[in-house]
PDB file of all heavy atoms in Angstrom:
ATOM      1  N   GLY A  56      81.476  37.782 152.638  1.00 89.00           N
ATOM      2  CA  GLY A  56      82.932  37.941 152.668  1.00 89.00           C
ATOM      3  C   GLY A  56      83.584  37.356 151.429  1.00 89.00           C
ATOM      4  O   GLY A  56      84.503  37.946 150.848  1.00 89.00           O
ATOM      5  N   LEU A  57      83.076  36.196 151.011  1.00 93.00           N
ATOM      6  CA  LEU A  57      83.634  35.537 149.833  1.00 93.00           C
ATOM      7  C   LEU A  57      83.245  36.294 148.560  1.00 93.00           C
ATOM      8  O   LEU A  57      84.064  36.472 147.646  1.00 93.00           O
ATOM      9  CB  LEU A  57      83.137  34.087 149.773  1.00 93.00           C
ATOM     10  CG  LEU A  57      83.737  33.203 148.699  1.00 93.00           C
ATOM     11  CD1 LEU A  57      85.256  33.106 148.835  1.00 93.00           C
ATOM     12  CD2 LEU A  57      83.137  31.797 148.755  1.00 93.00           C
ATOM     13  N   ARG A  58      81.996  36.780 148.538  1.00 92.00           N
ATOM     14  CA  ARG A  58      81.552  37.550 147.357  1.00 92.00           C
ATOM     15  C   ARG A  58      82.411  38.807 147.181  1.00 92.00           C
ATOM     16  O   ARG A  58      82.794  39.166 146.073  1.00 92.00           O
ATOM     17  CB  ARG A  58      80.078  37.942 147.495  1.00 92.00           C
ATOM     18  CG  ARG A  58      79.128  36.865 146.990  1.00 92.00           C
ATOM     19  CD  ARG A  58      77.737  37.420 146.701  1.00 92.00           C
ATOM     20  NE  ARG A  58      77.139  38.089 147.847  1.00 92.00           N
ATOM     21  CZ  ARG A  58      76.547  37.456 148.870  1.00 92.00           C
ATOM     22  NH1 ARG A  58      76.475  36.145 148.880  1.00 92.00           N
ATOM     23  NH2 ARG A  58      76.010  38.137 149.864  1.00 92.00           N
ATOM     24  N   ALA A  59      82.733  39.450 148.304  1.00 91.00           N
ATOM     25  CA  ALA A  59      83.524  40.695 148.242  1.00 91.00           C
ATOM     26  C   ALA A  59      84.941  40.448 147.727  1.00 91.00           C
ATOM     27  O   ALA A  59      85.604  41.370 147.260  1.00 91.00           O
ATOM     28  CB  ALA A  59      83.579  41.346 149.622  1.00 91.00           C
ATOM     29  N   ALA A  60      85.380  39.192 147.815  1.00 96.00           N
ATOM     30  CA  ALA A  60      86.752  38.880 147.398  1.00 96.00           C
ATOM     31  C   ALA A  60      86.855  38.547 145.907  1.00 96.00           C
ATOM     32  O   ALA A  60      87.960  38.363 145.385  1.00 96.00           O
ATOM     33  CB  ALA A  60      87.279  37.711 148.223  1.00 96.00           C
ATOM     34  N   GLN A  61      85.711  38.448 145.210  1.00 96.00           N
ATOM     35  CA  GLN A  61      85.753  38.122 143.775  1.00 96.00           C
ATOM     36  C   GLN A  61      86.475  39.238 143.023  1.00 96.00           C
ATOM     37  O   GLN A  61      86.358  40.408 143.390  1.00 96.00           O
ATOM     38  CB  GLN A  61      84.325  38.003 143.200  1.00 96.00           C
ATOM     39  CG  GLN A  61      83.411  37.042 143.939  1.00 96.00           C
ATOM     40  CD  GLN A  61      83.862  35.588 143.832  1.00 96.00           C
ATOM     41  OE1 GLN A  61      84.283  35.152 142.773  1.00 96.00           O
ATOM     42  NE2 GLN A  61      83.770  34.869 144.931  1.00 96.00           N
ATOM     43  N   LEU A  62      87.185  38.873 141.964  1.00 97.00           N
ATOM     44  CA  LEU A  62      88.019  39.863 141.277  1.00 97.00           C
ATOM     45  C   LEU A  62      87.506  40.228 139.895  1.00 97.00           C
ATOM     46  O   LEU A  62      87.023  39.382 139.151  1.00 97.00           O
ATOM     47  CB  LEU A  62      89.435  39.316 141.119  1.00 97.00           C
ATOM     48  CG  LEU A  62      90.304  39.317 142.375  1.00 97.00           C
ATOM     49  CD1 LEU A  62      91.646  38.658 142.074  1.00 97.00           C
ATOM     50  CD2 LEU A  62      90.501  40.732 142.890  1.00 97.00           C
ATOM     51  N   ASP A  63      87.656  41.499 139.560  1.00 95.00           N
ATOM     52  CA  ASP A  63      87.389  41.990 138.219  1.00 95.00           C
ATOM     53  C   ASP A  63      88.638  41.705 137.359  1.00 95.00           C
ATOM     54  O   ASP A  63      89.760  41.788 137.850  1.00 95.00           O
ATOM     55  CB  ASP A  63      87.175  43.508 138.326  1.00 95.00           C
ATOM     56  CG  ASP A  63      86.746  44.143 137.024  1.00 95.00           C
ATOM     57  OD1 ASP A  63      87.564  44.182 136.069  1.00 95.00           O
ATOM     58  OD2 ASP A  63      85.596  44.601 136.967  1.00 95.00           O
ATOM     59  N   ASP A  64      88.427  41.379 136.083  1.00 96.00           N
ATOM     60  CA  ASP A  64      89.560  41.061 135.202  1.00 96.00           C
ATOM     61  C   ASP A  64      90.574  42.202 135.123  1.00 96.00           C
ATOM     62  O   ASP A  64      91.773  41.966 134.904  1.00 96.00           O
ATOM     63  CB  ASP A  64      89.063  40.773 133.776  1.00 96.00           C
ATOM     64  CG  ASP A  64      88.396  39.405 133.704  1.00 96.00           C
ATOM     65  OD1 ASP A  64      88.560  38.623 134.671  1.00 96.00           O
ATOM     66  OD2 ASP A  64      87.697  39.139 132.696  1.00 96.00           O
ATOM     67  N   ALA A  65      90.085  43.432 135.265  1.00 96.00           N
ATOM     68  CA  ALA A  65      90.986  44.588 135.123  1.00 96.00           C
ATOM     69  C   ALA A  65      91.746  44.878 136.412  1.00 96.00           C
ATOM     70  O   ALA A  65      92.611  45.756 136.435  1.00 96.00           O
ATOM     71  CB  ALA A  65      90.176  45.816 134.718  1.00 96.00           C
ATOM     72  N   ASP A  66      91.420  44.148 137.464  1.00 98.00           N
ATOM     73  CA  ASP A  66      91.966  44.465 138.797  1.00 98.00           C
ATOM     74  C   ASP A  66      93.203  43.603 139.117  1.00 98.00           C
ATOM     75  O   ASP A  66      93.266  42.944 140.153  1.00 98.00           O
ATOM     76  CB  ASP A  66      90.856  44.248 139.833  1.00 98.00           C
ATOM     77  CG  ASP A  66      91.100  44.988 141.131  1.00 98.00           C
ATOM     78  OD1 ASP A  66      92.053  45.778 141.201  1.00 98.00           O
ATOM     79  OD2 ASP A  66      90.316  44.774 142.079  1.00 98.00           O
ATOM     80  N   HIS A  67      94.168  43.616 138.203  1.00 98.00           N
ATOM     81  CA  HIS A  67      95.415  42.855 138.383  1.00 98.00           C
ATOM     82  C   HIS A  67      96.599  43.737 138.019  1.00 98.00           C
ATOM     83  O   HIS A  67      96.441  44.631 137.198  1.00 98.00           O
ATOM     84  CB  HIS A  67      95.423  41.624 137.466  1.00 98.00           C
ATOM     85  CG  HIS A  67      94.463  40.553 137.881  1.00 98.00           C
ATOM     86  ND1 HIS A  67      94.725  39.627 138.851  1.00 98.00           N
ATOM     87  CD2 HIS A  67      93.203  40.291 137.446  1.00 98.00           C
ATOM     88  CE1 HIS A  67      93.692  38.813 139.003  1.00 98.00           C
ATOM     89  NE2 HIS A  67      92.744  39.199 138.158  1.00 98.00           N
ATOM     90  N   PRO A  68      97.789  43.482 138.540  1.00 98.00           N
ATOM     91  CA  PRO A  68      98.096  42.514 139.591  1.00 98.00           C
ATOM     92  C   PRO A  68      97.606  43.001 140.952  1.00 98.00           C
ATOM     93  O   PRO A  68      97.596  44.186 141.233  1.00 98.00           O
ATOM     94  CB  PRO A  68      99.621  42.408 139.553  1.00 98.00           C
ATOM     95  CG  PRO A  68     100.080  43.702 138.955  1.00 98.00           C
ATOM     96  CD  PRO A  68      98.993  44.189 138.058  1.00 98.00           C
ATOM     97  N   ILE A  69      97.229  42.028 141.773  1.00 98.00           N
ATOM     98  CA  ILE A  69      96.635  42.367 143.063  1.00 98.00           C
ATOM     99  C   ILE A  69      97.082  41.390 144.149  1.00 98.00           C
ATOM    100  O   ILE A  69      97.228  40.197 143.898  1.00 98.00           O
ATOM    101  CB  ILE A  69      95.092  42.370 142.941  1.00 98.00           C
ATOM    102  CG1 ILE A  69      94.468  42.835 144.257  1.00 98.00           C
ATOM    103  CG2 ILE A  69      94.542  41.016 142.512  1.00 98.00           C
ATOM    104  CD1 ILE A  69      93.023  43.232 144.133  1.00 98.00           C
ATOM    105  N   ALA A  70      97.271  41.945 145.345  1.00 98.00           N
ATOM    106  CA  ALA A  70      97.530  41.099 146.515  1.00 98.00           C
ATOM    107  C   ALA A  70      96.256  41.025 147.342  1.00 98.00           C
ATOM    108  O   ALA A  70      95.630  42.046 147.619  1.00 98.00           O
ATOM    109  CB  ALA A  70      98.652  41.690 147.365  1.00 98.00           C
TER     110      ALA A  70
END
Side-chain angles (χ1 to χ4, degrees):
L57 187 59
R58 274 199 304 280
Q61 306 294 319
L62 284 176
D63 186 292
D64 286 347
D66 201 7
H67 289 278
I69 185 164

